[in-house]
Amino acid sequence: MVVVRLVNVTKVFRTGVVGVKDINLTVNHKEFMALLGPSGSGKSTTLYLIAGIYRPSSGKIFFDDRDVTNVPPKDRNIGLVFQNWALYPHMRVYDNIAFPLRIKRLPENEIRKKVLETARMLRIEKLLNRYPWQLSGGQQQRVAIARALVKEPDVLLLDEPLSNLDAQLRISVRAELKRLQKKLGITTIYVTHDQAEALAMADRIAVINNGRIIQIGAPEQVYTKPATVFVGGFLGNPPMNFVEGEIIEDKGKLYIVIAGQKIISPTHYEPIVRRRGLRKVIVGFRPEDTMILPECRDRNECVKGMVYAVEPMGREYIVVADLGGELVKAIVPRTLVLTDDQEICLCPSLAKIVLFDPKTEKSLESLAAEKD
Amino acid sequence: MTKTNLFSKIKNFIHSDAFIFLLPAIILIIVFYLIPIVVSVYMSFTPLKNWNIARYIHEFVGFENYWRFLYMVTHDPTVRPIFITTVVFILITLAINVLGGLGLAIATFFMGEREASSTQLLWLLPRMTPIAVYSMIWYYFFHGSEIGTLNSILMSLGIIHNPIDWGQSIIPWGPWMIIIFVNGLVGVSYGMIVFTSAISNIPKELVIAARVDGASNWSITKNILIPLLKWHIVYVTTWQMLSLLTTYDHIFLLVEWGLVNRYYGTTWALYIYNMAFTAAEKDLGLAAATGVILVIVGAILGLLALKILGFEKMVKEPRGDI
């Protein structure tokens, strides 16, 4: 049982650069946690803090109830996999995997047993006599994971381990890694800038930006209920659409005016909009939750727009529409025939719309949660 | 047919851009390398003495100078020490240069940035100091009278009561120690710089990974840094060996100033210099023959070192993905 807990962790580098600020994060036993963020957001810094390679400037790190804040990396029993895999180029695969055990001075026959066992698990037992430069990227990556797993770590830390692989391989390794993690049941923290990777593999995702954790939640939750405009824009391909809207009241009902057109405000947002007396909002809606109709007639959740471009993606089309000067995207079935500059009707699914406060860029739900 | 072919090839080369680009280097090599070698080899077959070129230049004595060299080495009791000194000097100084440079590069790798750069600067000082000034410092340090720093320190500590003439009285290790010390200190910085830049090219993740696995500094050094520096060690060893074989500037001053014994403080390269330029009777033919042999020995040693240390493997080994 290992639960990794970061409490108010801040890291300021000697140069004065703030790596991460006030990080609070709990990774449960056997959990696969993804740290997701753009480059320079502090996600790798967080990982290195957990590994003990960096010492926090303030705050504490716990493995279960044990305070490891000042414990050196070697005494934390962690396995670490790097983006470039960091295999020792002068050692054969066998010796690479055996290295952590040799440092621990285990007897050679026990080392042999463990190396073979781990190699078999990762299906690299035929490569043990090769040097790293004789392996493909995917094989090197397996060796790196084997080296991290061979010492049976309490926590597995992965720093963008798939980003040096080509796109095809990345997708196949993704599923394999996820299965392996579930099978071994090791608490795993996985750093990535690839939102698809995080969504596909993680039990929970912590979205990091500018050294702060913005949202922690299950993939589904982070995807459908982004806490900020940033999260909505970072997850999804294509990402969430954002348009400015103005709140008006008409005969006791709330409406949002987008590009001069009125749509009905989602009912679940009514109480908070009224309570805060918001006049302006940012309306977020996902391309796949947006329907396109040839004309609007009298539907009160739709707005008129113009076809700007159509991108055929094979399985579906992405329609880029001009909505009063702003471009938004919608995913439509291939059966829909559209031409450029054609007038169309865009209908975001009301239930799935997310409203954000334009000042803080936070979603109204998360603002409401903050108050309570 | 082939002759005109070759001729037109040369002509083409002279008219090409590559020729203009290489011209300065070609001129330098011809003037400062090829011509001196040809002249030296030619001189070694003449009885040239005291720079009396007009008289001896057309006399040709065959291999006589080489036989004289061989006879001297085997029979002249003043020449033997010079060759023993050369061997001891090169072996020990080389070990100090390579191991010291390696040790310093690795030590500074584990230090903080500021400590590392000041340590390295300190060790570069001997290389930056003019030869005469640097030799002067150690001349006074090892001086045989009570003005010598070493003597006065030992005397004030009460370890010795009379000054010791380090370079003249303790034969042969006194002069050997001094010339090895003075040259070793200069040479360390070369290895240090090569190894430091090589270490900085090792991906830092390799070291972090080993650290996470619990490797100590010594274990990281032994298992990761040194194996990855193998080719740099080969290079520095070969390079330093050849430069020690031909160096004489510091030693020349130390011998000239009387700090070290003339026989056990002179190396082969200095011996040639003295024979040609400072001896009462300047036996240039013999000096040239001795020099030619030195060049041959250097070439053989260089190739041998590369062979033993596996330079071939370095060149042939495929690097990167196949």
Side-chain angles (χ1 to χ4, degrees):
Chain A
M1 282 288 286
V2 178
V3 176
V4 176
R5 205 149 48 89
L6 281 75
V7 182
N8 298 327
V9 171
T10 295
K11 173 69 185 174
V12 183
F13 291 102
R14 249 193 318 184
T15 51
V17 175
V18 178
V20 293
K21 199 157 170 53
D22 254 336
I23 295 268
N24 281 292
L25 178 70
T26 303
V27 186
N28 294 316
H29 180 52
K30 295 188 177 184
E31 188 174 33
F32 195 132
M33 171 69 85
L35 303 180
L36 175 65
S39 57
S41 59
K43 54 192 191 307
S44 290
T45 305
T46 309
L47 193 81
Y48 285 176
L49 283 164
I50 297 169
I53 293 159
Y54 295 155
R55 295 275 165 90
S57 312
S58 66
K60 286 199 176 302
I61 299 170
F62 296 93
F63 282 11
D64 288 334
D65 292 330
R66 181 172 161 233
D67 182 351
V68 296
T69 312
N70 290 311
V71 172
K74 68 185 172 74
D75 298 326
R76 298 190 183 199
N77 197 22
I78 49 169
L80 186 53
V81 178
F82 293 93
Q83 180 174 354
N84 63 3
W85 308 314
L87 299 179
Y88 307 121
H90 57 288
M91 293 185 197
R92 290 175 195 276
V93 168
Y94 181 93
D95 299 310
N96 259 288
I97 301 174
F99 187 79
L101 305 179
R102 295 216 167 110
I103 293 293
K104 284 187 182 173
R105 296 182 193 287
L106 258 55
E108 203 61 35
N109 58 347
E110 199 173 324
I111 291 177
R112 183 157 194 83
K113 213 184 91 202
K114 287 193 175 190
V115 170
L116 291 179
E117 203 175 290
T118 314
R120 215 169 290 133
M121 187 168 70
L122 287 153
R123 292 187 278 117
I124 48 172
E125 68 268 34
K126 290 198 178 111
L127 308 173
L128 290 174
N129 271 324
R130 298 215 194 153
Y131 284 98
W133 50 267
Q134 296 170 312
L135 304 177
S136 70
Q139 290 167 334
Q140 289 189 41
Q141 196 246 7
R142 279 163 199 274
V143 176
I145 291 175
R147 188 178 63 186
L149 288 178
V150 77
K151 55 181 178 175
E152 293 159 24
D154 293 331
V155 183
L156 182 60
L157 304 173
L158 304 149
D159 187 6
E160 309 233 11
L162 303 187
S163 38
N164 278 14
L165 300 177
D166 56 64
Q168 294 263 312
L169 195 57
R170 206 178 306 167
I171 288 167
S172 74
V173 174
R174 213 154 75 179
E176 223 173 297
L177 202 55
K178 183 176 181 172
R179 232 187 127 73
L180 184 71
Q181 193 269 340
K182 284 283 158 285
K183 192 174 108 191
L184 297 172
I186 298 180
T187 308
T188 301
I189 298 162
Y190 185 101
V191 163
T192 182
H193 67 270
D194 182 343
Q195 49 94 23
E197 245 169 52
L199 289 171
M201 299 165 79
D203 297 322
R204 284 197 299 156
I205 298 173
V207 183
I208 301 185
N209 192 30
N210 290 330
R212 287 171 187 274
I213 291 189
I214 303 203
Q215 188 175 10
I216 304 175
E220 182 67 19
Q221 190 190 352
V222 176
Y223 188 78
T224 56
K225 292 284 169 206
T228 67
V229 171
F230 170 80
V231 177
F234 195 70
L235 274 85
N237 183 25
M240 192 174 242
N241 296 306
F242 299 105
V243 288
E244 283 174 15
E246 205 177 324
I247 303 275
I248 57 162
E249 196 169 346
D250 188 13
K251 293 169 196 156
K253 270 190 161 180
L254 288 181
Y255 293 90
I256 307 170
V257 179
I258 299 168
Q261 305 169 56
K262 207 165 71 169
I263 66 165
I264 194 157
S265 167
T267 47
H268 58 279
Y269 277 113
E270 260 198 57
I272 178 161
V273 170
R274 281 184 194 282
R275 195 165 67 232
R276 305 201 123 229
L278 283 171
R279 308 295 312 152
K280 293 206 160 147
V281 288
I282 294 173
V283 182
F285 54 99
R286 292 224 170 256
E288 65 271 28
D289 298 329
T290 307
M291 206 163 51
I292 288 193
L293 300 171
E295 45 188 314
C296 282
R297 298 222 177 84
D298 292 330
R299 302 183 70 127
N300 59 8
E301 82 274 24
C302 300
V303 287
K304 277 187 204 137
M306 280 232 290
V307 175
Y308 183 81
V310 179
E311 302 170 350
M313 303 301 287
R315 190 176 41 189
E316 73 255 324
Y317 288 175
I318 293 174
V319 177
V320 186
D322 185 331
L323 192 59
E326 281 187 85
L327 294 183
V328 296
K329 289 183 176 181
I331 293 174
V332 299
R334 281 187 304 182
T335 47
L336 199 68
V337 181
L338 295 167
T339 52
D340 287 1
D341 296 329
Q342 180 188 340
E343 201 181 86
I344 47 162
C345 184
L346 287 144
C347 308
S349 156
L350 276 186
K352 290 178 178 170
I353 278 181
V354 183
L355 296 185
F356 299 91
D357 172 30
K359 268 189 226 110
T360 56
E361 297 208 334
K362 288 178 176 169
S363 75
L364 298 190
E365 287 100 326
S366 67
L367 272 183
E370 260 175 40
K371 273 280 178 285
D372 299 339
Chain B
M1 185 65 204
T2 46
K3 211 171 186 181
T4 51
N5 224 344
L6 184 71
F7 184 71
S8 70
K9 263 187 188 165
I10 291 170
K11 216 169 128 186
N12 276 342
F13 177 65
I14 287 174
H15 290 293
S16 69
D17 290 344
F19 178 71
I20 295 165
F21 182 70
L22 291 171
L23 194 62
I26 291 174
I27 290 172
L28 286 174
I29 288 174
I30 291 173
V31 171
F32 292 107
Y33 192 78
L34 284 180
I35 293 176
I37 281 190
V38 170
V39 170
S40 296
V41 172
Y42 182 83
M43 269 166 62
S44 73
F45 292 109
T46 68
L48 185 62
K49 275 186 182 57
N50 297 325
W51 296 102
N52 198 342
I53 294 167
R55 186 177 156 198
Y56 294 109
I57 199 67
H58 297 297
E59 262 182 64
F60 191 70
V61 293
F63 279 96
E64 196 194 296
N65 285 323
Y66 292 90
W67 293 126
R68 280 175 62 207
F69 170 77
L70 213 65
Y71 185 83
M72 249 167 41
V73 174
T74 47
H75 290 81
D76 186 340
T78 63
V79 172
R80 275 182 64 114
I82 286 161
F83 284 92
I84 297 169
T85 301
T86 305
V87 170
V88 172
F89 168 73
I90 289 176
L91 286 180
I92 299 180
T93 316
L94 188 61
I96 290 173
N97 283 176
V98 176
L99 296 179
L102 190 62
L104 273 173
I106 288 170
T108 50
F109 172 73
F110 288 116
M111 280 180 201
E113 221 167 288
R114 200 175 302 161
E115 296 92 326
S117 54
S118 39
T119 306
Q120 297 200 335
L121 186 70
L122 209 63
W123 283 90
L124 272 171
L125 280 176
R127 172 111 28 209
M128 297 191 295
T129 317
I131 292 167
V133 176
Y134 176 74
S135 304
M136 182 72 83
I137 293 169
W138 297 112
Y139 171 75
Y140 280 113
F141 185 83
F142 289 112
H143 199 275
S145 72
E146 60 273 13
I147 67 156
T149 315
L150 185 59
N151 277 328
S152 69
I153 289 173
L154 292 178
M155 278 161 74
S156 65
L157 289 175
I159 296 169
I160 54 173
H161 297 290
N162 295 308
I164 298 172
D165 195 348
W166 305 97
Q168 296 288 1
S169 63
I170 309 168
I171 299 293
W173 284 100
W176 284 354
M177 184 193 75
I178 292 171
I179 61 172
I180 287 168
F181 182 85
V182 170
N183 278 281
L185 221 53
V186 180
V188 163
S189 60
Y190 180 75
M192 180 184 76
I193 286 182
V194 172
F195 295 135
T196 300
S197 87
I199 289 178
S200 70
N201 278 331
I202 295 175
K204 69 177 195 310
E205 286 86 0
L206 290 186
V207 178
I208 295 175
R211 228 344 138 244
V212 168
D213 288 339
S216 59
N217 284 353
W218 167 239
S219 165
I220 289 172
T221 303
K222 188 182 67 167
N223 294 309
I224 294 163
L225 298 183
I226 289 180
L228 290 178
L229 291 178
K230 198 175 152 199
W231 306 119
H232 300 91
I233 295 172
V234 171
Y235 163 71
V236 170
T237 306
T238 311
W239 176 274
Q240 287 289 77
M241 180 181 71
L242 296 179
S243 82
L244 286 173
L245 193 62
T246 53
T247 188
Y248 65 88
D249 32 18
H250 296 101
I251 305 173
F252 168 73
L253 292 175
L254 297 178
V255 171
E256 210 53 24
W257 294 338
L259 183 70
V260 297
N261 183 282
R262 181 162 286 276
Y263 301 106
Y264 286 96
T266 297
T267 58
W268 194 348
L270 177 59
Y271 179 60
I272 295 167
Y273 176 85
N274 283 336
M275 215 189 296
F277 297 102
T278 63
E281 199 201 49
K282 299 172 183 65
D283 198 337
L284 291 158
L286 183 62
T290 316
V292 169
I293 292 168
L294 180 67
V295 169
I296 292 168
V297 167
I300 291 171
L301 279 179
L303 290 174
L304 214 63
L306 293 179
K307 190 103 193 153
I308 290 169
L309 298 167
F311 181 75
E312 240 173 295
K313 251 197 291 173
M314 169 169 84
V315 177
K316 279 182 189 160
E317 189 178 334
R319 315 192 115 193
D321 288 351
I322 299 174

